Amino acid sequence: MLRKIWAIAYVNLYQTFTDRNLIIIMIVTPLVLATIISLAFGNLGSGSAPIQNIPVAIVNLDEGASGFNGGQIMVEAFVPPDGEPGAPASQMPDCPETEAAASTAPAMSLTDLTDAVLLDDAAAARAGVDEGSYAAAVIIPADFSQKMSYSLADRQVEVSSIEVYGSSASPISASIIRSVVEGFANQLLTGFVAAQATIETIGQQFGLAGMGAAAANLSQAIACASGRTIVSIEQQTVEGEQADFNPLVLFGSAQAVFFALFTANATAATILEERRNGTLQRMVISPTPRVMILFGKLVGTFLIVLVQLIFLFIGFTVIGSLLEGQFQSIWGDNIIAIALMLVATTAGTAGVGMITAAVGKTAEQANIIGSIVSILMGILGGAFFAVNALGDFEFLTRLSVVRWGSEGFSKLAGGDANILTNVIFLAILGALFFGISLLMFNRRKDV
Amino acid sequence: MQNGHKQVLVEVRGLKKTFKRKDGTVVEAVKGIDLDIYRGEVFSLLGPNGAGKSTTISMLSGLLSPTEGEAKIGGYSITTQALEAKKLLGVVPQEIALYPTLSARQNLEFFGRMYGLHGSELAKSVDEVLDFIDLRERHKDRIDTFSGGMKRRVNIGVGLLHKPQLVYMDEPTVGVDPQSRRRILDTVIRLKEERKMTVLYTTHLMEESQELSSRVGIIDYGQIIALGTVGELIQKVGEEDRLIFSVGEQQVPDALLERFRTEVPGITSASYAASEFTPVAGLEDSAELVIEKRSTGAMRVVRSGQVMDGEITVHAKRGRKALPELLRIADEMGVDILSVEVREPDLEAVFLHLTGRALRE
Ligand SMILES: Nc1ncnc2c1ncn2[C@@H]1O[C@H](COP(=O)(O)OP(=O)(O)O)[C@@H](O)[C@H]1O
Ligand SMILES: [Mg+2]
């Protein structure tokens, strides 16, 4: 029986780690982002960032779609809103400044990394790159927003076709810009699609009609917010000074659990993809009890998330150490505590993944439910506002793996190895969620 | 379990499946099937699309739980002794069910492990199956680089890995080019002849049933409406041939049909049918309209009220013998026969006889 569980898990592992796109999303993108953020962050190491003010030309040809202009959000990330006088007036309400964002200046933003100029003409921008005036030209196509709406319709996040025309004279700068743009577009798209889908689902569930306008506003806000997370890290005022502020620590601790949740949801949802492909049916008609199939999926999900977290941890550590010029572990030096937290976080998120797969009827539905659950857990975990605002409902935060995970990693980063509660809660949540998902799967008589 | 000298391998009693759709409607996909499949035979379930073939296969393989009824494989109940029953069984599903990014070998190995194979035993089974489906050279290539026919072969191979006594094949030739189809049919024959396997084969093509099966169950609207050897079933419609004369757009006088019936020996019936073109509501006034002609698939222009695709159908005891006389009479009456088709009694005729519909409608 153990052989079968391992065989099922192995197929998942094999599929994941031979899929270049998945590796990029799971590991490379977070590492590249972390690197860029660190590079651009002025007071790291020697004091001045090695790369700054990359000259970039931006051309926004985006015509928008149903009251939404993704290109404009992107432009505003590169060009300060009060910046270039030549900028065409945006036909769209700008990304609303949230209160939090307004009161705390971003610790770092794309505008530090780049020196962006807004142009009208794609050809002129490319010519500028060829002449050496810009390291890269970013050309947002006319159908950028429209494509985002399409991808909503088929519940598929399609990587959009923003052109990054790089200069061969400054290849490094050009590839930094390329990663930033790709990361930004992905984030924008994911946020937008997830928000739209969430709103739509809630609307359908509760029969709320006429949510249209509110929905459009809300999804724009969420898309803005998710776009912004990538280009600026809100400076968190941690009880006073921020002298030793290492962006990698902040980035790493806050994002690790989210990345893990994302991966766990996506991996567990492969059980639904397998139902569509018929390979799940093939397993069910073999002499293999269903419980074993689910255990196989759980082990697969667990190992994939664990590998991801370990790679991220090592990656952040290496990058941080290189930039600092000395060894620096982002989550402290208690290896056993770090290992425990990694395993516990993996268990908790894998349980969440299994439950979203159990609730969903299709992989797309599971992904939507997954993003709703992630957002909810994020809210309860204090990722969006201080949780003590919940008052009597504080106990709800105990259901959030984000709370236990990010709190644990933050403790470790702060030199506090007292993480036993976090580990125990993560393990209990993982087991609980997996148990519930087992019951739900077993209740379905037909595959 | 003995029936004469035959041993029953699959025993189906009162099997029913009712689906509840989201909109509240109820679909009785399978309405109570009784069936015995004997060891070593190829049994085919023949029926049009939507007859309930796949639903039956799914219940008999433990994917769907029956609403009512019971089935046993080798004496093991598919509901209460599912693991034992499943060990005896290999399934080739209607749709290709493989991991597209894994190689042929990796797919075979994975599903082999699901049947408890491992180590050298697994490697040997995989090699044997690769030889059997003739994909030894491409074993390391990913499934998504394969042609449709090759995927079908791997899909079949997966069902044979653990050398089951019994294989279900659900419409394995659907959407396959003629060459691959021939190959699949030959595979079924080899499974029976060389490996002495029992095969439950579903199809909507009577030629396949007729060629492959020891016995056929004709299934329609979730019920088995006839069951027996091909010969037994054809006896039900009598020994008549069916002659079909195409006359295109010509008018056929009743006198012609009357002369067919009275002057030619062995004719039991003669009838004429044609489709008359009626334009779509609202377009009656258009002088000419384009419509697809069924027999050739070509597009052509027809007028409202025009008669098309006229056919005279004659049932005769010995059709080929009667043919020259029939053609002579038609010629005398000034009706041009555009083409003639002689159908010996076949399962198609049985289905038509039992349901009044053609199988392929
Ligand atoms: N999961 C399901 N839900 C509702 N109806 C179904 C489902 N599966 C099959 N049916 C219906 O049951 C009938 C039989 O389908 P099926 O067994 O697939 O036929 P066949 O394989 O002979 O073409 C069809 O009318 C089909 O629409
Ligand atoms: Mg079918």
Short mmCIF file of all heavy atoms in Angstrom, two decimals, chain B residues 18 20 31 44 63 76 85 94 129 160 191 194 197 201 213 260-262 264 266-267 291 323 326 337-338 344-345:
data_model
loop_
_atom_site.label_atom_id
_atom_site.label_comp_id
_atom_site.label_asym_id
_atom_site.label_seq_id
_atom_site.Cartn_x
_atom_site.Cartn_y
_atom_site.Cartn_z
N THR B 18 -29.77 5.89 -12.10
CA THR B 18 -30.56 7.09 -12.32
C THR B 18 -29.71 8.29 -11.94
O THR B 18 -29.14 8.33 -10.85
CB THR B 18 -31.81 7.06 -11.42
OG1 THR B 18 -32.46 5.80 -11.61
CG2 THR B 18 -32.77 8.17 -11.78
N LYS B 20 -29.48 12.38 -11.26
CA LYS B 20 -30.28 13.58 -11.03
C LYS B 20 -29.50 14.76 -11.57
O LYS B 20 -28.40 15.03 -11.13
CB LYS B 20 -30.56 13.76 -9.53
CG LYS B 20 -31.56 12.75 -9.03
CD LYS B 20 -32.15 13.15 -7.68
CE LYS B 20 -33.08 12.07 -7.17
NZ LYS B 20 -32.37 10.77 -6.94
N LYS B 31 -31.80 1.14 -17.20
CA LYS B 31 -33.11 0.89 -16.59
C LYS B 31 -33.32 -0.52 -16.08
O LYS B 31 -34.44 -0.99 -16.02
CB LYS B 31 -34.20 1.21 -17.63
CG LYS B 31 -34.22 2.66 -18.03
CD LYS B 31 -35.26 2.89 -19.09
CE LYS B 31 -35.25 4.33 -19.56
NZ LYS B 31 -35.89 4.47 -20.86
N SER B 44 -20.42 -8.12 -27.07
CA SER B 44 -20.49 -6.69 -27.36
C SER B 44 -21.85 -6.11 -27.01
O SER B 44 -22.88 -6.77 -27.15
CB SER B 44 -20.13 -6.41 -28.82
OG SER B 44 -21.13 -6.86 -29.67
N LEU B 63 -16.90 2.50 -10.78
CA LEU B 63 -16.77 3.96 -10.81
C LEU B 63 -18.06 4.63 -10.37
O LEU B 63 -18.05 5.66 -9.72
CB LEU B 63 -16.44 4.43 -12.22
CG LEU B 63 -14.98 4.49 -12.62
CD1 LEU B 63 -14.89 4.97 -14.05
CD2 LEU B 63 -14.21 5.41 -11.71
N TYR B 76 -17.27 -12.22 -7.27
CA TYR B 76 -17.10 -11.13 -6.30
C TYR B 76 -18.05 -9.98 -6.63
O TYR B 76 -18.09 -9.51 -7.78
CB TYR B 76 -15.67 -10.60 -6.30
CG TYR B 76 -14.63 -11.60 -5.88
CD1 TYR B 76 -13.70 -12.09 -6.79
CD2 TYR B 76 -14.59 -12.06 -4.57
CE1 TYR B 76 -12.73 -13.01 -6.41
CE2 TYR B 76 -13.64 -12.99 -4.18
CZ TYR B 76 -12.71 -13.45 -5.09
OH TYR B 76 -11.77 -14.35 -4.71
N ALA B 85 -12.92 -7.93 -6.93
CA ALA B 85 -13.48 -7.89 -8.28
C ALA B 85 -12.56 -7.10 -9.22
O ALA B 85 -12.31 -7.51 -10.36
CB ALA B 85 -14.87 -7.27 -8.26
N GLN B 94 -13.50 4.94 -22.66
CA GLN B 94 -13.85 5.53 -23.95
C GLN B 94 -12.93 6.70 -24.30
O GLN B 94 -12.47 6.83 -25.42
CB GLN B 94 -15.32 6.00 -23.90
CG GLN B 94 -15.79 6.63 -25.19
CD GLN B 94 -17.31 6.78 -25.23
OE1 GLN B 94 -18.03 6.39 -24.33
NE2 GLN B 94 -17.79 7.36 -26.30
N VAL B 129 3.65 -5.40 -22.83
CA VAL B 129 2.56 -4.58 -23.34
C VAL B 129 3.07 -3.67 -24.46
O VAL B 129 2.42 -3.51 -25.49
CB VAL B 129 1.91 -3.76 -22.20
CG1 VAL B 129 1.03 -2.66 -22.78
CG2 VAL B 129 1.09 -4.67 -21.31
N LEU B 160 -4.26 -3.68 -20.02
CA LEU B 160 -3.84 -5.08 -20.15
C LEU B 160 -2.67 -5.45 -19.25
O LEU B 160 -2.29 -6.62 -19.14
CB LEU B 160 -3.43 -5.37 -21.60
CG LEU B 160 -4.45 -5.04 -22.67
CD1 LEU B 160 -3.88 -5.30 -24.05
CD2 LEU B 160 -5.71 -5.86 -22.46
N LEU B 191 -6.60 -10.74 -28.38
CA LEU B 191 -6.82 -10.94 -26.94
C LEU B 191 -7.63 -12.19 -26.69
O LEU B 191 -7.37 -12.96 -25.79
CB LEU B 191 -7.56 -9.73 -26.35
CG LEU B 191 -6.75 -8.44 -26.24
CD1 LEU B 191 -7.63 -7.32 -25.70
CD2 LEU B 191 -5.54 -8.64 -25.33
N GLU B 194 -5.30 -15.40 -28.60
CA GLU B 194 -3.99 -15.73 -28.05
C GLU B 194 -4.00 -15.77 -26.53
O GLU B 194 -3.32 -16.56 -25.91
CB GLU B 194 -2.94 -14.71 -28.51
CG GLU B 194 -2.69 -14.73 -30.01
CD GLU B 194 -1.83 -13.57 -30.47
OE1 GLU B 194 -1.19 -12.92 -29.62
OE2 GLU B 194 -1.82 -13.30 -31.69
N MET B 197 -8.68 -14.19 -23.33
CA MET B 197 -9.34 -13.24 -22.44
C MET B 197 -10.82 -13.14 -22.74
O MET B 197 -11.27 -13.43 -23.85
CB MET B 197 -8.73 -11.85 -22.63
CG MET B 197 -7.45 -11.65 -21.86
SD MET B 197 -6.97 -9.95 -22.13
CE MET B 197 -5.48 -9.91 -21.22
N TYR B 201 -17.16 -5.52 -25.00
CA TYR B 201 -16.82 -4.51 -25.98
C TYR B 201 -18.07 -3.69 -26.30
O TYR B 201 -19.11 -4.27 -26.62
CB TYR B 201 -16.32 -5.22 -27.25
CG TYR B 201 -15.77 -4.33 -28.33
CD1 TYR B 201 -14.40 -4.15 -28.47
CD2 TYR B 201 -16.62 -3.70 -29.23
CE1 TYR B 201 -13.89 -3.33 -29.47
CE2 TYR B 201 -16.12 -2.88 -30.23
CZ TYR B 201 -14.75 -2.70 -30.35
OH TYR B 201 -14.24 -1.90 -31.33
N SER B 213 -17.91 -10.28 -32.14
CA SER B 213 -18.51 -10.87 -30.95
C SER B 213 -18.96 -12.30 -31.09
O SER B 213 -19.45 -12.73 -32.13
CB SER B 213 -19.72 -10.06 -30.49
OG SER B 213 -19.81 -8.87 -31.20
N PHE B 260 -43.52 -3.98 -58.80
CA PHE B 260 -42.45 -4.64 -58.02
C PHE B 260 -43.05 -5.75 -57.17
O PHE B 260 -42.58 -6.88 -57.14
CB PHE B 260 -41.76 -3.64 -57.09
CG PHE B 260 -40.63 -2.86 -57.75
CD1 PHE B 260 -40.36 -2.99 -59.10
CD2 PHE B 260 -39.84 -2.01 -56.99
CE1 PHE B 260 -39.32 -2.27 -59.68
CE2 PHE B 260 -38.81 -1.30 -57.56
CZ PHE B 260 -38.54 -1.42 -58.91
N ARG B 261 -44.11 -5.38 -56.47
CA ARG B 261 -44.69 -6.31 -55.49
C ARG B 261 -45.32 -7.53 -56.16
O ARG B 261 -45.24 -8.64 -55.66
CB ARG B 261 -45.74 -5.60 -54.64
CG ARG B 261 -45.14 -4.76 -53.51
CD ARG B 261 -46.20 -4.31 -52.54
NE ARG B 261 -47.03 -3.25 -53.08
CZ ARG B 261 -46.85 -1.93 -52.85
NH1 ARG B 261 -45.86 -1.54 -52.06
NH2 ARG B 261 -47.63 -1.05 -53.38
N THR B 262 -45.97 -7.28 -57.31
CA THR B 262 -46.75 -8.37 -57.89
C THR B 262 -45.97 -9.18 -58.91
O THR B 262 -46.16 -10.39 -59.03
CB THR B 262 -48.03 -7.82 -58.55
OG1 THR B 262 -47.64 -6.75 -59.44
CG2 THR B 262 -49.00 -7.31 -57.52
N VAL B 264 -42.49 -9.54 -59.36
CA VAL B 264 -41.21 -10.17 -59.06
C VAL B 264 -41.39 -11.15 -57.91
O VAL B 264 -41.91 -10.79 -56.86
CB VAL B 264 -40.16 -9.09 -58.68
CG1 VAL B 264 -38.78 -9.73 -58.56
CG2 VAL B 264 -40.16 -7.98 -59.70
N GLY B 266 -40.71 -13.35 -54.64
CA GLY B 266 -39.91 -13.20 -53.41
C GLY B 266 -39.96 -11.83 -52.79
O GLY B 266 -39.37 -11.59 -51.73
N ILE B 267 -40.65 -10.87 -53.43
CA ILE B 267 -40.70 -9.51 -52.87
C ILE B 267 -41.80 -9.46 -51.81
O ILE B 267 -42.94 -9.85 -52.07
CB ILE B 267 -41.02 -8.48 -53.97
CG1 ILE B 267 -39.99 -8.52 -55.10
CG2 ILE B 267 -41.12 -7.08 -53.36
CD1 ILE B 267 -38.61 -8.10 -54.70
N ILE B 291 -28.75 24.17 -49.32
CA ILE B 291 -28.90 23.14 -48.30
C ILE B 291 -27.84 22.08 -48.51
O ILE B 291 -27.34 21.90 -49.62
CB ILE B 291 -30.31 22.52 -48.35
CG1 ILE B 291 -30.50 21.59 -47.15
CG2 ILE B 291 -30.52 21.78 -49.64
CD1 ILE B 291 -31.90 21.12 -46.97
N LEU B 323 -32.89 -8.69 -58.41
CA LEU B 323 -32.40 -7.39 -58.86
C LEU B 323 -32.59 -7.11 -60.35
O LEU B 323 -33.16 -6.06 -60.71
CB LEU B 323 -30.93 -7.24 -58.44
CG LEU B 323 -30.34 -5.84 -58.51
CD1 LEU B 323 -31.20 -4.87 -57.71
CD2 LEU B 323 -28.92 -5.86 -57.95
N LEU B 326 -36.14 -6.28 -61.22
CA LEU B 326 -36.58 -5.00 -60.66
C LEU B 326 -36.06 -3.85 -61.52
O LEU B 326 -36.78 -2.89 -61.81
CB LEU B 326 -36.07 -4.86 -59.22
CG LEU B 326 -36.70 -5.81 -58.19
CD1 LEU B 326 -35.91 -5.81 -56.89
CD2 LEU B 326 -38.16 -5.41 -57.93
N ILE B 337 -32.67 4.50 -62.18
CA ILE B 337 -32.12 4.10 -60.88
C ILE B 337 -30.68 4.63 -60.81
O ILE B 337 -29.82 4.28 -61.62
CB ILE B 337 -32.13 2.56 -60.73
CG1 ILE B 337 -33.54 2.01 -60.92
CG2 ILE B 337 -31.55 2.16 -59.38
CD1 ILE B 337 -34.54 2.44 -59.88
N LEU B 338 -30.44 5.51 -59.86
CA LEU B 338 -29.11 6.16 -59.79
C LEU B 338 -28.09 5.27 -59.10
O LEU B 338 -26.93 5.26 -59.46
CB LEU B 338 -29.21 7.49 -59.04
CG LEU B 338 -30.26 8.45 -59.60
CD1 LEU B 338 -30.31 9.72 -58.77
CD2 LEU B 338 -29.98 8.78 -61.06
N GLU B 344 -27.70 -7.40 -46.99
CA GLU B 344 -28.10 -8.66 -46.42
C GLU B 344 -28.52 -8.40 -44.99
O GLU B 344 -28.13 -7.40 -44.41
CB GLU B 344 -26.93 -9.64 -46.50
CG GLU B 344 -26.82 -10.19 -47.91
CD GLU B 344 -25.47 -10.77 -48.23
OE1 GLU B 344 -24.64 -10.87 -47.31
OE2 GLU B 344 -25.26 -11.10 -49.40
N PRO B 345 -29.31 -9.28 -44.42
CA PRO B 345 -29.78 -8.99 -43.07
C PRO B 345 -28.58 -8.85 -42.13
O PRO B 345 -27.66 -9.65 -42.16
CB PRO B 345 -30.64 -10.20 -42.70
CG PRO B 345 -30.36 -11.22 -43.73
CD PRO B 345 -29.85 -10.54 -44.93
#
